Amino acid sequence: MIKQFAEVIVDVPAMQTNQPYTYSIPTELINQVFPGMRVIVPFGNRKVLGFAINISEKEPDVSFALKDIEEVLDLTPVLNTELLQLANWLAQWTFSFKISCLQVMLPAAMRASYSKTIKLTSTEISPAVQKLFGDKNEIPFDTKTLTASAFKELSKLKRANQAEVLYQVRDRAKAKKVTAIQGCLSSDQLASARETLRANAAKSFQMLDYLTTLGLEQVTLKKAMQDSDLSAAQFTSAEKKGWLVKTKVEKYRDPYREAVIEQSQPKQLKPAQLTAVERINQAITDHQKSVFLLQGVTGSGKTEVYLQTIATALEKGQTALMLVPEISLTPQMVRRVKGRFGSRVAVLHSGLSEGEKYDEWRRIERHEAQVVVGARSAVFAPLEDIGIIIMDEEHETSYKQEDMPEYNARDVAIKRGEWHNCPVVLGSATPSLESRARAQKGVYEWLRLDERINGQPLPEVNLVDMRQALKTAPALDISAPLLSAIEQRLAQNEQVVLMLNRRGYSSFLMCRECGFVLKCPNCDISLTLHMDSRSMKCHYCGHEEAIPRTCPSCQSKKIRYYGTGTEKVEKELQELLPTAKILRMDVDTTRRKGAHAKILQQFGSKEANILLGTQMIAKGLDFPDVTLVGVLNADTSLSLPNFRSAERTFQLLTQVSGRAGRAEKTGEVLIQTFNPEHYAIQLAKNQNYEKFFGIEMNMRHRGGYPPYFFTTQIVVSGGSEAAVAKKIFGINGQLQKVLSPQAVILGPTPKPIMRINNQFYYQLVIKYKKEPKLEQFLEELLLSSQKDAARNLKVKIDRDPVDFV
DNA sequence: AGCACGCCGACT
DNA sequence: GTCGGCGTGCTC
């Protein structure tokens, strides 16, 4: 009799449980559990989800009795060897729990949902308890639905052994089922059925006609109703007569099914594109795990390079992974890829429902889709035999995940490229300094597209010096030159895109008498005004309150909002241009599913002539009639106390400038700024990335910042400020001993937003070139901090943070 | 993360 | 005297 044992990573995200637990596999499950499958296991006195990561037949040498695996949730592994190994690496690289890394690779629908019920085991119970149970003997048992006293009462019952608590673990993943019908009569039987009908039973005749054409084929009820023009009730009655059977069939939720997408053919390539395509194709053919930096100005045809190299991988029977920032995963973008590869494409992005994401994931897993286009988390798509990995807009900071595990999709993509021996293409008009520097050093292969495919010059960029212009400006946010430029375009029936740079900016309420600013009671930041819900909201904890009419501090009525919000600009603009049709696009107007696409579609069909929005309009939009792009406030992102602020500003301005004049019409860009001499703004005006790169590298060198130095951030948080401060200063002291004199520690300091949801945050940043002992120290730090976790003191380590203010 | 075990204060 | 507070430690 063979015995099997499984090593399982349990769904308990804590340092103490960050290790495999061994379970025995009961006889009825032998040869049914494989590494990469989800299982349900007893853990302590409850049940949890876990991932089997290893199966062995050797009895482990332990002094206690092993528990049995309770249930296997999958028929085939949901994570293959590659992804299991990747999870291991990810856990180490990001200092995260293994379980978090395994979970992040799967659609949310495949996580477990936990619930508890309490069941009576005795009949001698008090009337109070009887009332809670009603006529049932098992009811839900959790602190959220029960009142505190009821919970207490039931706990007492449990302690007295008059009731037992049952733990449920459920798989949230559910395939969508739809009703299908299938004829079950032969043509002879159909003919005889026809004879039993009354002559005036028109619908029944129609039903039999339809069933005759259908034969024994199975179709969805929805389609049958469309094809036959018969109602659902008529199909139900046909079922009763025994003419057909109804079944439930599994169906994919395809969010793009409705849209008819025109097929597109590969386009003729410009010489530079051709060189790039040939070079990448070569790497695909030779199974080279090289990384390419594809640096191409806006409109230079990077996408066509992506599409043609993906085609090469597909021709070789391989698959392709294409990552794009969430914000540019627009219907326009999806249409381009689907247009080339049709139903072989799976799309993964945050606009999909949990079920839709699960379905797309299954299409990939079952090899029904060979091309995956998606945002950050799509980097874990269960593709096999990947031939090429593409990351568009590689400089985008949204590729870094903000919560555990804090991975950067760029690192993961390169790691997967190594496993599959395939090229990784990083594309951008404004590469991150890190990638551009690596291209310089020859770590990445550098491919350049310097010309726009339509041979058009880049749009003319002009600056408006707001220090002067503000004196005569028609509105607070719109200068005279910008206004007249807008008027001119509108008169020519052309379109205008206006961008409000809201990075590090919000509209808050301030009293003009006493300077009082309305702040969040839980967090150390001012509340933001939301006109749509007529309330003040905290962007960090979600706290919401009414807009005060008088100052809470001095009772003055002169309390009003400051700052520039899209709503305010929209109002100003509408007053200046009463006939203009303005579409506003920001977090408020795009929150609803599909709203983003709808606004773009409205603008594309010229229902409006001005599109006013935040950063989200800077990327990937391609409207031929847009001839003017205005940036209302270039500086807000520049003034952030952040070493990347110049880079971000340059990237944003370059990108939004690319929105102007993409077809035959020449475009113009107007940038309003208070810092017209700043190099980031000057060089964005001249669209000179290379010069910007040179200057900015110099700045980074002098400041000792990436890419010259590595950085790692340590954040300690907790409810007691004293404890948090003590901990971070303790860590600082230990670090001083471990680090070489070449390393620099910034801080410790309170984070700029020191308090969020009544938790205090302190941080320190280590800048270093080579610290062989650091890695081990950080791992030990996490282990030694596990006791603090119970006392609500958390230590978080972030390798290569995107920014630290 | 839960949950039990265990040792100290304020109540029927 | 007990109930229940939350500090400590364990979960195959």
Side-chain angles (χ1 to χ4, degrees):
Chain A
M1 189 62 204
I2 67 159
K3 284 198 134 196
Q4 284 187 334
F5 303 91
E7 284 182 54
V8 175
I9 301 288
V10 292
D11 181 15
V12 181
M15 210 60 215
Q16 291 113 309
T17 52
N18 191 31
Q19 43 148 358
Y21 287 84
T22 312
Y23 287 85
S24 52
I25 297 176
T27 29
E28 67 272 18
L29 289 179
I30 279 185
N31 291 330
Q32 287 186 55
V33 192
F34 293 95
M37 283 185 180
R38 295 172 304 151
V39 292
I40 292 170
V41 290
F43 193 67
N45 38 20
R46 62 211 165 111
K47 284 189 270 177
V48 295
L49 180 104
F51 285 84
I53 53 160
N54 213 351
I55 308 295
S56 80
E57 300 195 345
K58 210 174 84 222
E59 180 108 39
D61 181 26
V62 288
S63 55
F64 50 87
L66 296 177
K67 289 185 182 173
D68 273 359
I69 283 187
E70 188 145 317
E71 198 183 325
V72 188
L73 292 180
D74 304 302
L75 292 172
T76 55
V78 292
L79 293 170
N80 59 26
T81 318
E82 186 216 347
L83 292 172
L84 283 174
Q85 282 200 21
L86 192 66
N88 249 340
W89 167 79
L90 195 63
Q92 248 185 8
W93 180 252
T94 62
F95 303 101
S96 309
F97 307 126
K98 291 189 175 77
I99 186 68
S100 313
C101 295
L102 293 164
Q103 305 246 51
V104 80
M105 298 185 161
L106 295 172
M110 293 175 79
R111 285 178 206 168
S113 74
Y114 297 100
S115 59
K116 279 190 296 185
T117 55
I118 187 160
K119 188 180 176 182
L120 285 175
T121 51
S122 156
T123 47
E124 304 152 31
I125 46 166
S126 67
V129 171
Q130 187 61 58
K131 208 175 160 198
L132 282 170
F133 278 88
D135 51 0
K136 299 186 205 73
N137 78 331
E138 190 177 333
I139 55 167
F141 183 58
D142 68 284
T143 35
K144 285 191 190 73
T145 53
L146 292 168
T147 62
S149 63
F151 188 80
K152 228 174 225 172
E153 195 68 36
L154 292 172
S155 304
K156 205 187 282 174
L157 215 61
K158 184 186 127 203
R159 250 175 284 128
N161 276 327
Q162 292 188 302
E164 60 177 335
V165 176
L166 301 168
Y167 297 82
Q168 279 92 27
V169 186
R170 270 197 328 258
D171 189 0
R172 273 154 52 193
K174 285 265 180 335
K176 188 179 177 179
K177 296 273 172 79
V178 293
T179 307
I181 61 141
Q182 187 170 19
C184 54
L185 298 184
S186 67
S187 46
D188 290 351
Q189 286 171 309
L190 283 166
S192 53
R194 192 176 287 270
E195 282 161 23
T196 65
L197 293 176
R198 288 198 318 271
N200 60 354
K203 287 291 175 188
S204 295
F205 280 113
Q206 201 182 327
M207 173 66 73
L208 289 170
D209 286 343
Y210 175 69
L211 290 175
T212 311
T213 53
L214 188 66
L216 296 177
E217 208 183 315
Q218 187 180 60
V219 293
T220 64
L221 180 61
K222 197 179 163 201
K223 187 169 185 302
M225 283 163 63
Q226 276 168 8
D227 292 353
S228 64
D229 205 25
L230 289 159
S231 70
Q234 280 144 4
F235 279 97
T236 308
S237 84
E239 185 195 18
K240 284 204 189 100
K241 290 178 195 155
W243 295 354
L244 56 85
V245 285
K246 277 189 185 173
T247 45
K248 291 275 176 190
V249 294
E250 204 177 287
K251 184 167 183 313
Y252 292 132
R253 312 160 181 94
D254 181 358
Y256 293 94
R257 178 169 36 92
E258 312 301 338
V260 179
I261 294 169
E262 211 174 299
Q263 286 294 304
S264 79
Q265 294 304 313
K267 296 192 180 90
Q268 185 73 40
L269 297 175
K270 295 272 170 189
Q273 286 177 302
L274 190 65
T275 312
V277 168
E278 280 174 350
R279 206 32 224 106
I280 297 165
N281 280 349
Q282 189 66 46
I284 296 173
T285 310
D286 296 349
H287 296 284
Q288 268 178 34
K289 48 186 176 190
S290 38
V291 181
F292 293 92
L293 176 65
L294 180 64
Q295 183 179 337
V297 294
T298 36
S300 62
K302 289 189 291 291
T303 309
E304 191 59 30
V305 174
Y306 302 152
L307 296 179
Q308 297 204 13
T309 49
I310 290 173
T312 306
L314 295 183
E315 277 161 30
K316 300 199 180 299
Q318 292 186 290
T319 62
L321 175 57
M322 178 167 170
L323 301 167
V324 295
E326 185 70 64
I327 207 157
S328 60
L329 195 53
T330 56
Q332 281 185 351
M333 177 79 198
V334 172
R335 207 170 302 137
R336 288 191 75 174
V337 186
K338 284 223 165 186
R340 195 65 60 85
F341 304 110
S343 60
R344 306 179 75 180
V345 181
V347 181
L348 295 167
H349 66 88
S350 66
L352 303 182
S353 71
E354 205 173 86
E356 286 168 344
K357 275 188 210 158
Y358 173 58
D359 283 357
E360 287 293 270
W361 185 90
R362 280 187 308 150
R363 286 186 55 222
I364 305 163
E365 199 244 339
R366 295 179 180 179
H367 305 142
E368 290 168 20
Q370 293 86 36
V371 182
V372 173
V373 184
R376 182 178 58 227
S377 63
V379 76
F380 299 113
L383 286 169
E384 280 170 45
D385 193 13
I386 301 178
I388 184 167
I389 302 175
I390 288 160
M391 176 176 265
D392 190 28
E393 311 278 0
E394 68 87 29
H395 61 276
E396 270 295 313
T397 51
S398 64
Y399 282 124
K400 174 95 188 236
Q401 172 141 69
E402 301 276 346
D403 36 52
M404 273 260 261
E406 292 174 291
Y407 67 91
N408 189 328
R410 200 201 299 155
D411 303 331
V412 180
I414 293 173
K415 200 78 191 167
R416 290 198 80 179
E418 282 170 18
W419 171 277
H420 289 273
N421 280 309
C422 77
V424 177
V425 179
L426 307 176
S428 177
T430 52
S432 63
L433 292 221
E434 283 87 342
S435 295
R436 176 60 183 75
R438 278 180 203 149
Q440 186 100 338
K441 283 173 74 182
V443 182
Y444 297 166
E445 194 170 325
W446 195 17
L447 301 169
R448 292 183 61 168
L449 307 176
D450 293 332
E451 274 171 45
R452 302 185 103 186
I453 31 175
N454 53 14
Q456 268 222 329
L458 288 161
E460 192 187 323
V461 182
N462 291 305
L463 304 179
V464 179
D465 185 349
M466 286 303 271
R467 292 170 304 190
Q468 299 303 317
L470 205 55
K471 290 172 193 154
T472 56
L476 210 58
D477 305 296
I478 298 149
S479 64
L482 180 60
L483 182 63
S484 72
I486 298 172
E487 282 169 338
Q488 194 196 327
R489 305 292 160 167
L490 297 192
Q492 293 169 13
N493 195 27
E494 291 169 354
Q495 289 180 300
V496 177
V497 167
L498 294 179
M499 187 186 77
L500 186 69
N501 184 2
R502 292 217 11 171
R503 188 159 269 157
Y505 217 90
S506 61
S507 30
F508 55 94
L509 217 58
M510 187 168 96
C511 173
R512 288 188 144 196
E513 293 281 341
C514 69
F516 173 85
V517 173
L518 192 62
K519 284 190 165 179
C520 174
N522 310 319
C523 314
D524 270 348
I525 62 161
S526 46
L527 294 174
T528 304
L529 179 73
H530 282 251
M531 278 312 278
D532 56 347
S533 57
R534 300 199 152 269
S535 64
M536 304 296 299
K537 284 182 195 166
C538 172
H539 284 188
Y540 285 84
C541 72
H543 170 85
E544 193 172 344
E545 62 183 76
I547 305 168
R549 299 240 171 110
T550 55
C551 171
S553 170
C554 72
Q555 271 68 49
S556 153
K557 282 185 179 161
K558 289 189 175 164
I559 184 159
R560 49 169 297 175
Y561 58 87
Y562 275 73
T564 304
T566 41
E567 293 168 71
K568 183 169 153 245
V569 176
E570 184 186 16
K571 221 172 139 196
E572 286 178 4
L573 210 55
Q574 199 70 75
E575 275 164 23
L576 293 168
L577 303 161
T579 57
K581 290 202 191 75
I582 305 167
L583 272 174
R584 179 162 65 92
M585 189 154 122
D586 55 24
V587 276
D588 293 327
T589 60
T590 55
R591 208 185 329 257
R592 270 197 11 258
K593 192 186 165 186
H596 185 250
K598 195 177 166 210
I599 293 174
L600 292 179
Q601 184 259 321
Q602 284 177 329
F603 190 62
S605 58
K606 299 197 79 172
E607 281 173 42
N609 28 34
I610 299 176
L611 177 65
L612 167 69
T614 51
Q615 277 84 296
M616 65 177 75
I617 60 171
K619 284 165 199 104
L621 310 186
D622 200 348
F623 296 111
D625 286 320
V626 172
T627 52
L628 175 68
V629 167
V631 179
L632 299 174
N633 52 345
D635 315 284
T636 48
S637 55
L638 205 57
S639 52
L640 285 177
N642 176 340
F643 75 95
R644 269 187 229 275
S645 61
E647 184 184 356
R648 294 275 183 75
T649 306
F650 179 84
Q651 285 164 345
L652 187 62
L653 294 180
T654 308
Q655 216 143 43
V656 73
S657 299
R659 301 303 122 218
R662 297 206 76 174
E664 2 4 281
K665 294 171 189 154
T666 41
E668 189 194 351
V669 179
L670 269 182
I671 298 174
Q672 300 189 148
T673 172
F674 288 93
N675 298 287
E677 310 83 18
H678 193 283
Y679 66 97
I681 291 186
Q682 276 296 325
L683 294 167
K685 169 177 154 53
N686 301 327
Q687 311 258 317
N688 192 340
Y689 174 83
E690 287 302 309
K691 190 161 180 200
F692 175 78
F693 173 71
I695 294 178
E696 185 64 15
M697 281 298 272
N698 217 320
M699 305 286 275
R700 300 284 178 92
H701 185 65
R702 272 189 282 158
Y705 285 109
Y708 289 98
F709 280 78
F710 293 113
T711 54
T712 293
Q713 182 192 44
I714 301 177
V715 178
V716 179
S717 63
S720 144
E721 187 178 358
V724 169
K726 192 173 167 224
K727 179 80 187 174
I728 192 107
F729 278 97
I731 296 172
N732 185 47
Q734 289 172 285
L735 271 171
Q736 306 280 7
K737 284 179 222 143
V738 172
L739 295 176
S740 73
Q742 283 77 42
V744 181
I745 300 176
L746 305 178
T749 53
K751 292 222 10 157
I753 300 162
M754 189 173 83
R755 190 168 57 114
I756 297 173
N757 248 331
N758 290 320
Q759 295 296 108
F760 292 88
Y761 288 82
Y762 274 65
Q763 66 162 2
L764 66 79
V765 173
I766 314 157
K767 296 197 293 183
Y768 59 99
K769 285 205 165 184
K770 193 164 176 276
E771 292 296 329
K773 281 190 267 177
L774 182 59
E775 195 91 0
Q776 206 198 333
F777 170 79
L778 293 175
E779 274 165 38
E780 283 165 13
L781 173 67
L782 279 185
L783 273 171
S784 65
S785 303
Q786 58 179 268
K787 279 199 186 69
D788 301 321
R791 286 187 281 123
N792 186 22
L793 195 61
K794 294 192 195 81
V795 178
K796 198 186 80 173
I797 299 172
D798 187 357
R799 192 195 297 268
D800 308 326
V802 205
D803 50 39
F804 41 88
V805 190

